[in-house]
Amino acid sequence: MPVPSHPTRRALLFGAVGSVALLGAGTRGPLRTGTAPRPVIPVADTAVPLDAAPVTVDLGSRTVRTWAYGDRAPGPEIRVTAGGTVSARLRNGLPQETTVHWHGVRIDPAMDGAPGLSQVPVASGDTFDYRFTAPDPGTFFYHSHVGTQLDRGMYGVLVVEDPAEPLGYDAEWTVVLDDWLDGTGTDPDTELGTIRDTPRPARTLRSRLLGGTAGHVDYPHYLINGRTPQAPEEFTDSPGRRIRLRLVNAGADTAFRVGLGDHRLTVTHTDGFPVLPVTVDALLIGMGERYDVLVTLADGVFPLVAEAEGKDARAFAVVRTSGGDAPDPSVSVPELDRRLLTLADLVADPSVDPGDAPARAVDLVLGRGRNGTGWTLGTAAARDVTPLRVPVSVGERVRLSFTNATRMWHPVHLHGHTFQVRGEEGRGPRKDTVIVRPRERVTVDVLAENPGEWMLHCHNLYHSELGMMATLGYGDTPPAAPDSSMGGMSGTG
Ligand SMILES: [Cu+2]
């Protein structure tokens, strides 16, 4: 059994037997390392339990009442080998309906968890079995797609392992970033009401890197793997070892600038897909994005910091390869202000770049609603009209251009696909979530290989709930019946 990297996280192995062998000592695959054994449950062909319920979770320095999958957030880490089957049983113990969305996975629409579009939401007290093939190796995650549930504790990581992993590394750590307010005297539904009713907040959170307003919510806590900076996650290994960090931003309204004191980061993947490796000091990760980086560990005790961009606060963890005191959570990390990864740095590995010219182009606008309230995603002529139907045949490419006509950045996410970002000279990474800053225009090519109706939305949860949500459809599937509440992230209002 592997030695896990998180003391309290449950890792669940299932699917192909190869995934178990990959993690076994003495095999080609990397070991997971850390401070204490983590239970690993080999459950070949057995569903992973996702028990959505109100619980009390321990954030380290305090406990809070929230909703989560099991007794902590993040929920169970699910691992499967590419080509294998993910099988998870959602039991809805919440007082309202829910779904699970498998973010970034090229998935059967019926398993995508888009409420009111591809799935009837799972009622309180009911059970739903998610079962699908995970076609691509990489770092993914799962989360509720109903209402503001994502901004409670309703998320977890899905790692799809490559049976022929080309990267050389000794161990891997999962690093999940989150912004937290639930159970601290407020909750996400209360925040949603405030944002809806006061488009101009008293205190403006601004970021030069994000080109304007950074977010709406000044959260009381920012977390790495569900821990506050006062009681941080501690990753331990040995000097000289090469570690793969799988970074996931599961936040609702916060971009994080990530750096590791006295180390550089070699970026190898974004949103699950490989890029030509690029070495930087820090990177910016928006909600819904993932980055995989390699670090070679130095000798000492180091701060792993995720600055809540524009919010004057941070998430924090400790990386330890020797004895000594842990750094203070407020320690200065010069790497954060050195060479920062940009989108222009990222070029898809040639093995995943689709290349061909698109058959159709669709220009989309990220905008504000009438009178400056709410948020929209649509065409210039009809900014808040959905669904969008694209007349392409399966196998053709669609070019989507996103123009940001607002004063705030938006991480735009497409379900069921990854897209080729078309940056300078047409080069860029494969992604499923891409940051579009104010006044920026970002172009992506989508291979139309998964016909159906798919959600296309801002991954700022409050923007999608307030209308920055569209559906994109192609193929023979007829448009979904309009749902009166499809303007939000949920189908339920
Ligand atoms: Cu947005």
Side-chain angles (χ1 to χ4, degrees), residues 16 23 208 213 246 326 335 345 379 408 439 454 472 482:
L23 291 175
R208 183 184 55 80
T213 305
R246 297 181 183 269
E335 283 75 10
D345 290 324
T379 62
M408 189 165 173
R439 295 172 295 282
W454 299 100
L472 185 74

Side-chain angles (χ1 to χ4, degrees), residues 150-151 178-179 181 191 195 205 210 213-219 222 249-256 286-287 308-309 311 408-409 411 459-463:
L150 168 62
D151 206 15
D178 192 22
D179 44 19
L181 59 81
E191 293 301 314
I195 294 166
L205 306 167
L210 294 168
T213 305
H216 299 276
V217 184
D218 204 359
Y219 285 81
Y222 298 92
N249 185 347
D253 180 62
T254 306
F256 290 96
M287 297 82 77
E309 185 61 33
K311 297 186 173 183
M408 189 165 173
W409 70 287
H459 223 275
N460 182 308
L461 180 62
Y462 296 97
H463 290 180

Side-chain angles (χ1 to χ4, degrees), residues 262-282:
D262 293 328
H263 290 76
R264 305 200 83 200
L265 313 173
T266 299
V267 179
T268 62
H269 295 72
T270 184
D271 296 357
F273 281 80
V275 293
L276 300 179
V278 54
T279 298
V280 296
D281 295 301

Side-chain angles (χ1 to χ4, degrees), residues 67-352:
W67 298 352
Y69 300 110
D71 58 1
R72 67 183 302 271
E77 180 173 307
I78 300 173
R79 301 183 76 93
V80 64
T81 300
T85 302
V86 174
S87 178
R89 171 159 293 182
L90 169 67
R91 291 190 194 87
N92 185 5
L94 304 175
Q96 58 181 232
E97 56 195 23
T98 193
T99 65
V100 177
H101 169 56
W102 305 88
H103 182 113
V105 179
R106 295 188 297 139
I107 199 171
D108 184 307
M111 295 290 120
D112 188 52
L117 183 67
S118 60
Q119 177 176 15
V120 176
V122 181
S124 180
D126 281 2
T127 293
F128 186 85
D129 287 323
Y130 289 93
R131 191 175 169 83
F132 56 91
T133 300
D136 305 305
T139 303
F140 302 93
F141 76 126
Y142 62 90
H143 60 80
S144 165
H145 218 294
V146 169
T148 61
Q149 292 175 8
L150 168 62
D151 206 15
R152 299 181 192 256
M154 306 287 290
Y155 62 88
V157 172
L158 168 64
V159 173
V160 183
E161 295 172 342
D162 191 337
E165 177 60 61
L167 279 187
Y169 52 94
D170 300 310
E172 62 174 78
W173 301 337
T174 302
V175 180
V176 188
L177 311 173
D178 192 22
D179 44 19
W180 193 279
L181 59 81
D182 198 28
T184 65
T186 183
D187 63 66
D189 289 328
T190 301
E191 293 301 314
L192 177 64
T194 302
I195 294 166
R196 183 186 54 224
D197 298 338
T198 53
R200 284 183 167 278
R203 182 183 165 212
T204 305
L205 306 167
R206 297 189 65 80
S207 162
R208 183 184 55 80
L209 280 180
L210 294 168
T213 305
H216 299 276
V217 184
D218 204 359
Y219 285 81
H221 301 294
Y222 298 92
L223 310 179
I224 290 180
N225 293 348
R227 310 281 296 181
T228 64
Q230 291 73 37
E233 173 88 287
E234 192 162 296
F235 299 97
T236 62
D237 208 298
S238 304
R241 294 245 296 171
R242 206 172 194 213
I243 310 293
R244 178 182 194 165
L245 274 64
R246 297 181 183 269
L247 300 163
V248 178
N249 185 347
D253 180 62
T254 306
F256 290 96
R257 185 161 31 119
V258 181
L260 173 60
D262 293 328
H263 290 76
R264 305 200 83 200
L265 313 173
T266 299
V267 179
T268 62
H269 295 72
T270 184
D271 296 357
F273 281 80
V275 293
L276 300 179
V278 54
T279 298
V280 296
D281 295 301
L283 61 82
L284 187 69
I285 180 169
M287 297 82 77
E289 288 191 296
R290 289 89 65 210
Y291 282 96
D292 290 27
V293 304
L294 293 176
V295 297
T296 300
L297 295 176
D299 191 352
V301 191
F302 307 98
L304 174 61
V305 169
E307 286 284 340
E309 185 61 33
K311 297 186 173 183
D312 196 23
R314 59 170 53 167
F316 174 83
V318 173
V319 170
R320 175 184 292 280
T321 63
S322 70
D325 292 341
D328 188 88
S330 64
V331 67
S332 171
V333 178
E335 283 75 10
L336 292 169
D337 297 310
R338 292 181 183 158
R339 170 81 159 83
L340 183 78
L341 182 76
T342 67
L343 190 63
D345 290 324
L346 296 173
V347 177
D349 185 282
S351 65
V352 298

Side-chain angles (χ1 to χ4, degrees), residues 216 287 366 375 404 406 408-412 436 457-464 468:
H216 299 276
M287 297 82 77
L366 302 158
W375 301 84
N404 185 350
T406 77
M408 189 165 173
W409 70 287
H410 306 284
V412 178
V436 188
H457 63 89
C458 177
H459 223 275
N460 182 308
L461 180 62
Y462 296 97
H463 290 180
S464 58
M468 196 170 269

